[in-house]
Amino acid sequence: MKLLGLLMACTLAAFAAETVLIQNADIYPINGAPLKGGSLLIQDGKIVEIGAKIVAPKGATVLEGKGLRVYPGWIDSATQLGLEEIESIRETNDTGEIGDFMPQLKALSAVNPDSEHFGVVRVNGITTAIALPEGSGGRGGGAAQMIAGQAALMHTDGWTWEEMEINRSAAMVLNFPAAAGRGGRGGGMPADIPDMFPGAAGAAGNAQRAVLDQIAKLNAFFDDARKYRTAKAANLPDFRKDLKFEAMLPVLEGKVPLAVTAARATTIHDAIAWSEKQNVKIVILQPREITKAGPELKAKNVPVILGRVLALPEYEDSEYDQAYTQPLEAYKAGVKFALGTFTNEFVRDLPYQAATAVAYGLPHDEALKALTINPAQIWGAGDLIGSLEKGKLADLMIVDGDPMDVRTQIRHLFIKGKEITLSNKQIRLYERYMSRQ
Amino acid sequence: MKKIILGTLLALAPLGADTIVIQNATVMTEGPKGIFKGSVVVKDGKIADIGEKVMVPAGAIVIEAGGQYLIPGIIDCHSHIAGSGNINEGSVSVSSMVDIKDIINPDDIAIYRALAGGVTTANILHGSANAIGGRTLPLKMRWGKNAQELIFAGATPGIKFALGENPKRSGNPQGGRGATGAIPVGRYPATRMGVEDVIREAFNDAKAYKVDWDAYDAKVAKGEHPIPPRTDLKLQALKEVLENKRYVHVHCYRADEILMMIRAAEDNGFKVRTFQHVLEGYKVAKEIAAHGAGASTFSDWWAYKIEAIDAIPFNAALMTKKGVVVSLNSDDAELMRHLNTEAGKAMKYGGMNETEALAMVTINPAKQLGIDKTVGSIEVGKDADLVLYDGFPMSDFAKVQKVWIDGTQYFDRDKEIAAQATKEAEKKQLLDKEKAAQKQQPTRRPNQ
């Protein structure tokens, strides 16, 4: 009987163009005040109406939402969903390619829609994610690189990656050259400390020269891309298409932002200065010194994707809650920010990461925005997703409490208006082994 | 003179702990009194009284905790902090002669960070590179005390075993995750078959060693003067396991290896105290419960390696429902700072109630470590290891306000915030001084 129920649920889920009326629920649209005891109508994958009382259209499925709340689905702004299945097994990783300048690479077409991770994160309300090609080398087998490829904005449900796509080129990933490196959280010392010791200063000087050398290479690549654009515009008969430079055109034209990894304040400063010279749009990935970098980020109107809130402090002598307060610092500085978990196994904890930021001072509403409308706008999909509004895609969840509280359960989940079966491999294993006598 | 005074103060500190009354808190005792709204009285480092209404002793410091939650100090059953350098002696398949006790580093900042996350006791384990690893022990997070003073007095020491990928990879010429540091290529074992064999061979030797020593001890008891057998430090620790004087904590993942370990232990006459990680414990929960072992797992980590592919976040709840004493551990200096919300996930995944969930980071790990007579719950007579939260303690919306160990306050968020400006000023002063010195002596080299 249970099996039959499951089969029926699967069959139902397969019909996308459902008409669903959610009624008597508290609707939290994010972009406005909550509507208590309201209704929301889903038709053809979209939200077609929100109001105090909506009459159910003929044939509509009616969901009684008394005592429940409706929120837009969560957006995780940095994942390897679909690109990485098992962290330690190289054959299951497609996150980092070989080569220094690889703008032509696309994360989207390497996304495996059948990855078990999608089912796991969906049941916690993650309806959209950025799949990020990483240039850090190693895991995907690739060498260190600067331009890692195109990040995809995608739904966490679909039969194929094409169906999952929201934007296959939401951003171009650039690992900005940095002397201090990007890893090693929890220990180490700030960049200005080694400079004080003559022995270390030599090494620091060498590292700084290496950074300048890399930035020079990056500039040369951008110069070449511009020359290519000029050559293409000239439309000469011997013009030959180049896939790398072709992929750079939307970046040069400001249509696609660069998602720039820069952890330290000095690197963030360098990256912003560089982007101004190059006249390109940037989003900073995983900044870790917002207190220092905040004013400049605000002044230059650069949004950021903050990494995990549940993280160690940046340096050994940082305040114990330094990582917990990064979202608050971003908010206080007036910097636009969203959250990303950067590792597949943490994606389902996205709302809890945001709740930690609230515990350490971030207003509750701002935490919600960091998981919904902010990332939607940062990734250029503010008119499609990120809030409950007429005309937007029906990516939403019906929950029985505060959606960032670990005790809250999701009762219904919709992606593009399709009700998602709240099951996955882990739930199936649970049910199977609970029944073992 | 100053040194002498300081020494006296330090020695007195645990005894001279203040008499404290924490009042109007929601107290989640994890003991017979359940959850109640009222007060806890702390005297001489112990819990002296609890109740809706208590007598406030003369001279007691009264802490008004209206709207706040008081819970027992969190116990992490699996941690690797506070060690000096590498804690993974992977050069041999059996390293039961090495001991975490010898490398405790009381200055590890991770101790303070764990404390600020409500952890008062942690089981510090050897790494997982070998089938039989090093000796382990629980510490109290008494930040500022020396290595000796961190040791949990009277706790039964342990030993780490490890099954599956980590010990076998150490023997695999390809190395890989788990093969930390310089591990000789080709070290036995390289398969799960070999891991079982290493454990059985070691206990085969240990039992023979014990026979020799038991015979010797019997003769001594009769007043004879026999020549003692040769002391073997590796086998000594395993002899203690056979005598139930040392707990076995087994790093494991898959159901097959968990079952193997249960049978190997039973065949050799000892018990596994806890299965650690035990991500597929839910598949053999019945066998774990029958053996009487505890299970100490992660809330929701998975997919980081192939033996973690069938991990489910319901593991803790399912094993509990099948009669296993379950704890949630960190194995990580970061996760260690929010074990309270890891417990909260047991409410989400598998429907544990508040008391069952909180038990997984308090009384259950205390039971697993055999220290539940003194810690793990708020009961009269137990150590005053307490954590005060500003909200429901298993939600991420709450944060730690105060932490006491043995009635001494080791963390106070208000003081922490108040001291930030002073600390920043001091840091700046030191840096400025150093920079000024650099200018005067540009050729000065740092001390070697």
Side-chain angles (χ1 to χ4, degrees):
Chain A
M1 185 57 211
K2 195 163 196 181
L3 191 68
L4 191 67
L6 198 70
L7 281 174
M8 281 174 64
C10 289
T11 321
L12 272 179
F15 292 101
E18 263 183 290
T19 299
V20 179
L21 177 68
I22 302 162
Q23 64 182 21
N24 298 321
D26 295 342
I27 296 165
Y28 291 77
I30 301 296
N31 64 329
L35 175 65
K36 300 281 166 124
S39 299
L40 185 150
L41 184 64
I42 300 170
Q43 222 160 30
D44 299 326
K46 291 189 173 164
I47 299 167
V48 294
E49 208 179 335
I50 299 175
K53 189 106 189 114
I54 299 170
V55 178
K58 205 171 166 223
T61 307
V62 177
L63 285 178
E64 176 56 41
K66 198 164 169 54
L68 301 175
R69 311 182 189 188
V70 188
Y71 288 88
W74 304 132
I75 303 170
D76 190 324
S77 287
T79 76
Q80 277 98 47
L81 288 176
L83 299 176
E84 176 185 282
E85 197 67 16
I86 302 169
E87 189 183 328
S88 70
I89 298 186
R90 195 224 167 290
E91 287 81 350
T92 72
N93 288 341
D94 296 291
T95 57
E97 194 37 273
I98 299 164
D100 283 342
F101 297 101
M102 307 296 281
Q104 74 279 27
L105 303 181
K106 290 182 296 292
L108 186 69
S109 46
V111 165
N112 170 16
D114 274 337
S115 165
E116 298 289 354
H117 288 271
F118 287 118
V120 165
V121 306
R122 272 196 309 256
V123 300
N124 278 20
I126 320 292
T127 55
T128 303
I130 286 279
L132 207 60
E134 274 192 316
S136 55
R139 294 212 300 221
Q145 56 182 223
M146 277 185 271
I147 296 182
Q150 297 165 39
L153 184 68
M154 63 187 186
H155 280 115
T156 53
D157 181 64
W159 290 97
T160 66
W161 53 258
E162 257 172 349
E163 285 186 15
M164 296 165 81
E165 174 180 10
I166 297 171
N167 182 356
R168 69 184 64 194
S169 191
M172 184 69 76
V173 177
L174 167 64
N175 296 302
F176 203 77
R182 294 186 292 129
R185 183 151 211 165
M189 53 179 83
D192 53 331
I193 303 290
D195 294 348
M196 291 168 44
F197 297 98
N206 287 339
Q208 195 52 36
R209 272 192 294 282
V211 167
L212 292 175
D213 182 47
Q214 284 212 302
I215 292 176
K217 280 185 190 162
L218 184 60
N219 284 330
F221 184 76
F222 270 75
D223 288 348
D224 288 348
R226 288 207 169 81
K227 284 175 197 160
Y228 175 83
R229 184 173 57 171
T230 310
K232 189 182 180 187
N235 207 14
L236 298 173
D238 58 348
F239 173 80
R240 270 184 60 187
K241 192 171 174 181
D242 180 292
L243 296 185
K244 277 186 203 280
F245 293 139
E246 200 64 34
M248 286 299 292
L249 296 178
V251 175
L252 298 177
E253 286 154 16
K255 288 178 189 157
V256 170
L258 283 160
V260 183
T261 58
R264 305 283 162 91
T266 48
T267 314
I268 294 166
H269 171 79
D270 290 350
I272 292 174
W274 174 85
S275 72
E276 288 193 312
K277 270 188 206 154
Q278 291 291 350
N279 194 27
V280 286
K281 254 171 61 180
I282 62 168
V283 176
I284 299 286
L285 293 183
Q286 227 172 354
R288 288 169 174 171
E289 292 182 329
I290 290 292
T291 317
K292 280 188 196 167
E296 189 175 7
L297 288 163
K298 163 73 181 162
K300 308 291 184 186
N301 204 20
V302 175
V304 301
I305 305 304
L306 297 174
R308 292 197 294 279
V309 182
L310 290 164
L312 286 172
E314 188 62 14
Y315 304 116
E316 190 167 1
D317 66 347
S318 300
E319 297 299 341
Y320 83 99
D321 59 359
Q322 188 257 358
Y324 302 156
T325 57
Q326 291 299 291
L328 171 65
E329 295 293 335
Y331 169 67
K332 285 201 302 198
V335 176
K336 184 155 200 167
F337 66 96
L339 295 188
T341 51
F342 287 86
T343 304
N344 282 352
E345 66 178 305
F346 292 108
V347 175
R348 63 171 147 192
D349 289 338
L350 182 72
Y352 314 135
Q353 301 274 344
T356 304
V358 175
Y360 288 85
L362 182 71
H364 192 275
D365 284 356
E366 297 299 324
L368 289 174
K369 284 184 200 165
L371 307 182
T372 55
I373 191 66
N374 287 2
Q377 289 170 347
I378 290 170
W379 301 120
D383 55 341
L384 281 178
I385 56 173
S387 61
L388 301 180
E389 285 180 76
K390 199 174 161 175
K392 280 198 174 182
L393 295 179
D395 294 353
L396 54 87
M397 54 180 146
I398 305 176
V399 297
D400 61 8
D402 186 314
M404 294 184 286
D405 192 306
V406 73
R407 291 167 290 180
T408 297
Q409 301 286 359
I410 294 180
R411 301 291 186 83
H412 298 276
L413 181 73
F414 290 85
I415 295 179
K416 286 197 282 181
K418 172 182 131 182
E419 178 151 20
I420 301 295
T421 309
L422 291 172
S423 186
N424 59 35
K425 176 195 169 188
Q426 299 181 346
I427 293 170
R428 289 192 293 275
L429 278 169
Y430 174 54
E431 287 167 352
R432 181 171 166 217
Y433 281 93
M434 268 308 286
S435 73
R436 184 186 170 211
Q437 294 301 314
Chain B
M1 183 61 202
K2 199 173 173 190
K3 231 177 200 167
I4 295 168
I5 292 173
L6 200 69
T8 317
L9 280 177
L10 279 178
L12 280 176
L15 283 176
D18 296 312
T19 300
I20 306 161
V21 178
I22 302 155
Q23 65 181 25
N24 294 323
T26 300
V27 184
M28 302 177 79
T29 65
E30 292 300 322
K33 202 156 163 55
I35 301 171
F36 72 95
K37 209 169 167 216
S39 303
V40 170
V41 181
V42 173
K43 211 174 161 183
D44 299 328
K46 304 280 179 194
I47 294 163
D49 195 7
I50 63 173
E52 284 79 2
K53 290 235 179 321
V54 296
M55 287 283 287
V56 177
I61 297 167
V62 176
I63 292 163
E64 172 54 43
Q68 307 201 52
Y69 286 74
L70 192 71
I71 69 164
I74 290 172
I75 299 169
D76 187 350
C77 200
H78 191 127
S79 170
H80 300 292
I81 67 163
S84 191
N86 198 340
I87 44 84
N88 218 359
E89 181 49 64
S91 56
V92 286
S93 309
V94 179
S95 69
S96 44
M97 63 290 181
V98 303
D99 199 332
I100 291 293
K101 192 172 69 188
D102 300 325
I103 55 134
I104 297 167
N105 170 20
D107 291 331
D108 184 356
I109 189 65
I111 297 172
Y112 186 72
R113 290 171 178 168
L115 190 60
V119 176
T120 53
T121 296
N123 191 30
I124 310 299
L125 298 172
H126 182 270
S128 52
N130 24 32
I132 295 184
R135 305 173 186 192
T136 71
L137 80 172
L139 302 180
K140 281 212 183 185
M141 302 289 101
R142 299 182 184 107
W143 176 248
K145 297 296 169 83
N146 68 33
Q148 274 301 314
E149 289 164 332
L150 297 191
I151 293 173
F152 195 117
T156 303
I159 185 165
K160 171 84 169 277
F161 287 13
L163 315 176
E165 286 184 31
N166 290 12
K168 83 180 188 123
R169 238 190 238 136
S170 303
N172 184 331
Q174 306 248 301
R177 200 175 195 271
T180 49
I183 288 162
V185 167
R187 195 208 73 191
Y188 185 73
T191 64
R192 284 183 170 81
M193 300 183 288
V195 170
E196 173 173 7
D197 177 54
V198 165
I199 292 167
R200 286 184 182 268
E201 300 267 4
F203 276 94
N204 198 37
D205 293 348
K207 282 193 287 189
Y209 180 74
K210 185 173 180 300
V211 166
D212 291 349
W213 273 98
D214 286 351
Y216 168 78
D217 290 341
K219 282 180 187 167
V220 170
K222 276 190 258 172
E224 294 175 29
H225 300 279
I227 299 169
R230 187 173 181 276
T231 296
D232 183 314
L233 296 181
K234 271 193 196 181
L235 297 180
Q236 189 58 36
L238 302 183
K239 179 172 173 279
E240 288 165 14
V241 168
L242 293 168
E243 291 163 346
N244 204 22
K245 291 175 187 163
R246 184 174 290 280
Y247 293 152
V248 177
H249 302 293
V250 184
H251 159 119
C252 57
Y253 280 82
R254 267 175 29 187
D256 47 82
E257 65 197 22
I258 297 164
L259 188 55
M260 174 281 285
M261 188 66 235
I262 289 171
R263 298 301 172 237
E266 287 167 354
D267 290 349
N268 284 284
F270 70 93
K271 263 196 174 168
V272 173
R273 187 72 185 186
T274 69
F275 284 102
Q276 299 281 330
H277 310 325
V278 60
L279 297 188
E280 288 188 13
Y282 66 93
K283 295 183 181 177
V284 283
K286 187 167 80 173
E287 286 78 4
I288 296 172
H291 181 72
S296 189
T297 188
F298 299 133
S299 63
D300 60 358
W301 281 3
W302 78 294
Y304 47 95
K305 50 179 171 174
I306 190 68
E307 63 187 1
I309 198 62
D310 268 4
I312 63 172
F314 307 91
N315 192 31
L318 192 155
M319 288 192 292
T320 303
K321 289 172 186 173
K322 301 273 179 178
V324 180
V325 173
V326 178
S327 69
L328 290 163
N329 69 53
S330 79
D331 192 19
D332 177 77
E334 192 283 311
L335 188 65
M336 196 176 182
R337 307 185 331 140
H338 49 96
L339 281 167
N340 55 313
T341 59
E342 294 296 284
K345 288 177 189 168
M347 298 174 72
K348 180 177 177 70
Y349 304 112
M352 296 282 99
N353 67 33
E354 293 172 348
T355 303
E356 289 168 325
L358 188 59
M360 291 178 182
V361 294
T362 54
I363 190 66
N364 287 3
K367 285 176 185 167
Q368 293 175 342
L369 295 169
I371 52 177
D372 54 312
K373 284 205 166 54
T374 50
V375 295
S377 61
I378 300 177
E379 291 179 61
V380 172
K382 280 198 172 183
D383 294 357
D385 293 2
L386 301 165
V387 189
L388 189 64
Y389 284 88
D390 61 357
F392 179 72
M394 285 179 281
S395 152
D396 297 84
F397 290 122
K399 59 184 174 299
V400 173
Q401 294 295 323
K402 291 175 171 46
V403 181
W404 293 269
I405 299 176
D406 307 318
T408 299
Q409 192 173 307
Y410 280 86
F411 176 79
D412 184 327
R413 181 163 165 85
D414 294 337
K415 286 182 190 162
E416 185 77 30
I417 302 285
Q420 277 178 6
T422 323
K423 277 194 284 181
E424 277 307 309
E426 188 186 353
K427 205 192 284 182
K428 187 176 181 306
Q429 206 179 7
L430 289 168
L431 287 174
D432 289 348
K433 196 176 163 190
E434 185 62 31
K435 279 176 189 160
Q438 292 284 321
K439 273 185 191 153
Q440 280 172 4
Q441 293 174 288
T443 56
R444 197 173 69 98
R445 314 303 293 184
N447 292 335
Q448 293 303 307

